[in-house]
Amino acid sequence: MEYLDIYDEDGTPLGKEKRSVVHQNALWHKTVHCWLYDNEGNVYFQIRKEENKLYTTASGHIKAGETVKEAFGREVAEELGININYNQAILVNIYKFIMDKVKKDGSIFRDRAFSNVYVCCFEGENSKFNFDDDELEGLVKVNAQETLELLKQEKGFINGIRIQKDFSKNIVENIKVDFNYFLVNKGETAIEKYGDVLNKIIELTSNNICKP
């Protein structure tokens, strides 16, 4: 059974609770958004299976007693099948996220999260990814600067590389990435959702800050 540390809206710790109760009662908790980038200024988006849209490289809840960076490393390992030096992850920002969503069974999923957004350099090979089939279809690698301009314009497409598992190996192919491919929730814009991450990666790679 998974427990999450819970907080008040100001971030003061209140104890811990079951994950199901956290979302049933709209309790504040912490999540981590994991972003991988390379020294050439490229960023990895996962192809989120449920929505078939581009989202964070990996993401998830921070378990009770777990640090943010420990959760970063665990989520990357679980979803992408690789181990990274998560201690080198760099904070982008912490956001308050509020969303209520009606599930297929009619119940309401109530989310109140402090989203900890971090980036970390990855210089490994595409063949090393071993994707969680339940969570994602694969990854798309795109240039951060080009992606930022695309999201600002809110139309058009850029070139990218898709990495997907095909039985025992990964298939890598060139694709066109359309603006509408990116996952955006109701009330959000793509540039608001992903702009800070892209700007941070552009800053880091322009200063040659990439430690695999």
Side-chain angles (χ1 to χ4, degrees):
M1 186 173 296
E2 185 174 326
Y3 282 82
L4 308 179
D5 291 322
I6 57 173
Y7 306 83
D8 65 18
E9 192 173 356
D10 296 322
T12 303
L14 299 176
K16 65 179 182 179
E17 188 52 270
K18 298 175 187 176
R19 175 173 171 171
S20 58
V21 175
V22 166
H23 287 295
Q24 180 181 358
N25 296 338
L27 302 178
W28 285 94
H29 58 286
K30 291 183 178 181
T31 60
V32 60
H33 289 192
C34 317
W35 291 91
L36 300 184
Y37 69 96
D38 67 20
N39 205 32
E40 296 179 353
N42 298 309
V43 57
Y44 292 85
F45 283 82
Q46 71 168 245
I47 309 170
R48 190 75 182 161
K49 189 163 189 175
E50 183 177 359
E51 298 90 354
N52 195 30
K53 295 276 189 176
L54 302 184
Y55 189 45
T56 57
T57 314
S59 59
H61 293 83
I62 299 174
K63 296 181 180 180
E66 192 175 39
T67 69
V68 176
K69 289 191 175 182
E70 287 171 345
F72 187 109
R74 176 180 54 77
E75 288 293 343
V76 168
E78 290 177 356
E79 296 189 13
L80 308 181
I82 59 171
N83 294 313
I84 61 170
N85 186 352
Y86 54 80
N87 288 313
Q88 294 180 344
I90 298 171
L91 175 67
V92 176
N93 211 334
I94 301 173
Y95 304 92
K96 282 186 175 181
F97 180 78
I98 299 175
M99 182 181 71
D100 293 329
K101 181 172 67 174
V102 180
K103 299 170 66 174
K104 293 180 180 178
D105 63 4
S107 62
I108 300 177
F109 180 87
R110 306 176 69 194
D111 210 358
R112 304 290 185 275
F114 298 103
S115 299
N116 294 258
V117 182
Y118 278 75
V119 298
C120 191
C121 182
F122 173 72
E123 287 292 292
E125 300 176 5
N126 294 331
S127 60
K128 299 299 183 182
F129 293 116
N130 184 20
F131 303 120
D132 180 351
D133 295 333
D134 293 330
E135 293 280 346
L136 63 156
E137 297 285 351
L139 291 173
V140 169
K141 182 168 70 171
V142 286
N143 178 269
Q145 184 67 61
E146 292 178 359
T147 305
L148 184 66
E149 295 305 318
L150 176 68
L151 301 190
K152 287 179 179 178
Q153 295 172 12
E154 297 188 337
K155 62 180 180 179
F157 63 86
I158 57 175
N159 294 318
I161 296 174
R162 181 167 55 202
I163 309 157
Q164 287 186 281
K165 185 165 65 177
D166 183 24
F167 296 101
S168 61
K169 63 180 181 179
N170 289 335
I171 301 297
V172 180
E173 60 180 345
N174 295 322
I175 63 168
K176 299 290 187 183
V177 179
D178 189 275
F179 167 74
N180 295 305
Y181 289 178
F182 296 88
L183 177 61
V184 180
N185 295 311
K186 185 178 180 180
E188 298 176 331
T189 66
I191 193 64
E192 290 172 344
K193 194 173 185 71
Y194 304 115
D196 288 350
V197 167
L198 296 171
N199 277 313
K200 187 66 173 181
I201 291 170
I202 293 166
E203 173 195 336
L204 292 171
T205 52
S206 65
N207 293 320
N208 296 316
I209 303 176
C210 186
K211 300 177 181 178

